[in-house]
């Protein structure tokens, strides 16, 4: 799972990955390339609990205000 995927640097380099960003706009190129994509909020991911082995947040956390970010949602989707 690649959270905050943006242009998809991580998503392009790993097979069988789902890319999530707050907007579908940056994900449109990944979708065209066949990567599974979805729009979603880091604090309320549109994904099933305990469904991912790994989560990537490359260059994401530093752009989120401290008071609006929690690792609980990431923990929820991890197996």
């Amino acid at each position: 799972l690649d959270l905050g995927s943006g242009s998809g640097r991580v998503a392009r380099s790993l097979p069988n990955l789902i890319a999530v960003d707050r907007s579908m706009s940056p994900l449109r190129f990944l979708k065209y390339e066949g990567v599974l994509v979805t729009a979603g909020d880091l604090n309320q991911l549109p994904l099933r609990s305990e469904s991912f082995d790994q989560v990537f947040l490359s260059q994401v956390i530093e752009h989120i205000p401290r008071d609006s970010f929690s690792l609980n949602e990431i923990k929820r989707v991890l197996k």
Side-chain angles (χ1 to χ4, degrees), residues 40-52:
D41 185 295
L42 287 176
N43 291 311
Q44 191 174 3
L45 295 169
L47 305 164
R48 290 183 313 170
S49 297
E50 300 180 10
S51 53
F52 295 93

Side-chain angles (χ1 to χ4, degrees), residues 5-71:
S5 187
S7 63
R9 183 173 48 94
V10 171
R12 283 187 175 95
S13 63
L14 297 170
N16 304 319
L17 187 109
I18 295 177
V20 178
D21 206 286
R22 63 182 173 184
S23 168
M24 284 299 288
S25 182
L27 298 173
R28 66 186 185 277
F29 298 110
L30 290 174
K31 187 175 181 179
Y32 178 76
E33 294 174 19
V35 175
L36 294 174
V37 300
T38 189
D41 185 295
L42 287 176
N43 291 311
Q44 191 174 3
L45 295 169
L47 305 164
R48 290 183 313 170
S49 297
E50 300 180 10
S51 53
F52 295 93
D53 294 319
Q54 299 175 349
V55 174
F56 295 92
L57 291 113
S58 180
Q59 300 182 28
V60 173
I61 294 175
E62 64 269 24
H63 297 287
I64 301 171
R66 284 186 185 183
D67 60 346
S68 69
F69 180 70
S70 170
L71 293 175

